[in-house]
Amino acid sequence: METSPSHFKLVILGSAAGGGFPQWNCRCAVCSLAWANDPRVKRRSQASIAVSANGADWALVNCAPEILSQLQATPALHPRHGLRHSPLTSVLLTNADIDHVAGLLSLREAQPFTLMATPGVHDVLAGSSAFDVLAPEVVERRPVELGSSFELVAGVRATIFPVPGKIALYLEAREQAEKGSLTTDMEGEQTIGVELTAGGRRILYIPGCATMTDSLRARLEGADAVLFDGTLWRDDEMIRAGVGTKTGARMGHMSMSGERGSIEALRNVNVGRKIYVHINNTNPVLVDGSEERITANKAGWEIAQDGMEIAL
């Protein structure tokens, strides 16, 4: 799949939040439709994207646990020549969540690539010996600082910036023990957004965001596409569904609907395409024809699905 050097292509490898859709042990109203093979819903794997400017060299942003099936489902990412080859040259992590890093353990067949993350996320990975399967002489671990701009893959530059969020779930107990509290909307290395530019085009990928700020809204203005946190339709969705006790705010995710939701927050922001990613299994927008899907679409939002492509 060769393209011109100025072509900017993004593939949504996975579009669901942690656990995918349907979740393996869930029979909420939306998951039940998937288990029944209802044609109104499509199965989705956990959120990650692949980007390229030339069709030959590709980078991942996040590496989901389903990375092997995601790669197999994407011909552009198949090995092409020789006994060992991959078009994948780099991976950038937006945080240390399990659904964003666990797939790295499957990329251990002595294939060189560069692993990019903030120093704090690299520290988390270094603290787990499981990730030593990515041998340092094969996989370069490159720290990237907040606010920095760098070449992510040939022809594509990335700029990383903080967005309101929290640390990974499995690190919460340690933070509460050390600090006596847990902040769910802090801005720092624990949750970042990524601005991708190539050929004069600009796409922003923000799979997790706890609240909208003026600076973030200004950054989104004029983008060709924004892929934004679509975890929950409403803040108390998981509680209402009977499958959890946490609100979206507690999990570090702003809802789609409501006065403080992302639909309202970005209603007047000039963006070419607005696409929801990282969608939780309980979210009714996953159902074609649902009232929530229609409302989101009327507000100018698309609902991502696995394999969706954006070419600019």
Side-chain angles (χ1 to χ4, degrees):
M1 184 173 57
E2 298 298 328
T3 58
S4 66
S6 62
H7 196 64
F8 189 7
K9 188 164 188 177
L10 183 151
V11 180
I12 298 176
L13 302 178
S15 53
F21 173 69
Q23 286 191 357
W24 68 281
N25 65 343
C26 185
R27 287 199 63 86
C28 70
V30 187
C31 282
S32 292
L33 295 178
W35 293 125
N37 296 315
D38 191 299
R40 293 175 295 170
V41 297
K42 297 180 176 65
R43 294 170 184 259
R44 288 166 164 85
S45 59
Q46 295 169 89
S48 63
I49 61 172
V51 295
S52 178
N54 60 18
D57 304 297
W58 290 79
L60 300 183
V61 181
N62 293 330
C63 194
E66 304 96 326
I67 186 60
L68 296 184
S69 59
Q70 291 175 347
L71 294 176
Q72 290 162 5
T74 310
L77 299 177
H78 293 178
R80 296 177 187 162
H81 53 76
L83 291 176
R84 291 283 190 180
H85 168 262
S86 173
L88 177 64
T89 66
S90 58
V91 177
L92 173 63
L93 303 176
T94 63
N95 61 24
D97 284 353
I98 289 293
D99 48 316
H100 291 163
V101 305
L104 293 170
L105 300 176
S106 296
L107 303 183
R108 61 183 185 273
E109 281 77 21
Q111 179 64 42
F113 64 90
T114 302
L115 178 59
M116 304 178 187
T118 61
V121 171
H122 275 303
D123 287 345
V124 172
L125 298 182
S128 173
S129 59
F131 291 98
D132 291 347
V133 297
L134 301 174
E137 67 272 16
V138 177
V139 176
E140 176 192 359
R141 299 194 185 190
R142 182 182 301 171
V144 289
E145 300 289 343
L146 291 175
S148 64
S149 178
F150 50 91
E151 186 174 72
L152 177 61
V153 65
V156 178
R157 294 198 66 80
T159 301
I160 63 171
F161 53 92
V163 296
K166 69 174 187 65
I167 60 172
L169 176 63
Y170 60 93
L171 300 175
E172 286 186 5
R174 185 175 71 186
E175 175 165 319
Q176 288 180 313
E178 293 176 351
K179 300 181 179 180
S181 62
L182 178 69
T183 304
T184 59
D185 61 352
M186 57 183 171
E187 293 186 57
E189 291 187 21
Q190 73 290 330
T191 303
I192 65 170
V194 184
E195 183 176 270
L196 303 162
T197 58
R201 301 287 190 166
R202 188 164 64 99
I203 299 176
L204 287 99
Y205 184 61
I206 306 171
C209 183
T211 188
M212 183 58 57
T213 63
D214 290 341
S215 61
L216 179 55
R217 188 182 289 107
R219 183 181 287 273
L220 302 182
E221 180 69 30
D224 293 284
V226 171
L227 282 63
F228 195 79
D229 183 352
T231 306
L232 300 176
W233 176 254
R234 56 186 301 158
D235 190 54
D236 62 350
E237 180 179 303
M238 293 183 64
I239 298 172
R240 284 173 171 260
V243 298
T245 60
K246 295 178 182 177
T247 63
R250 169 60 181 81
M251 296 188 295
H253 297 284
M254 65 188 301
S255 60
M256 295 181 179
S257 66
E259 293 182 1
R260 298 176 60 84
S262 52
I263 290 177
E264 186 60 33
L266 298 178
R267 186 176 300 279
N268 297 317
V269 178
N270 178 31
V271 172
R273 294 176 68 179
K274 299 176 185 177
I275 304 170
Y276 277 126
V277 294
H278 196 270
I279 305 165
N280 199 57
N281 61 295
T282 55
N283 195 326
V285 299
L286 291 172
V287 184
D288 291 343
S290 67
E291 179 182 344
E292 294 82 1
R293 170 75 72 89
I294 293 170
T295 298
N297 289 161
K298 285 183 177 179
W301 286 88
E302 302 173 57
I303 306 302
Q305 60 187 47
D306 293 14
M308 185 175 177
E309 298 185 0
I310 300 170
L312 300 172

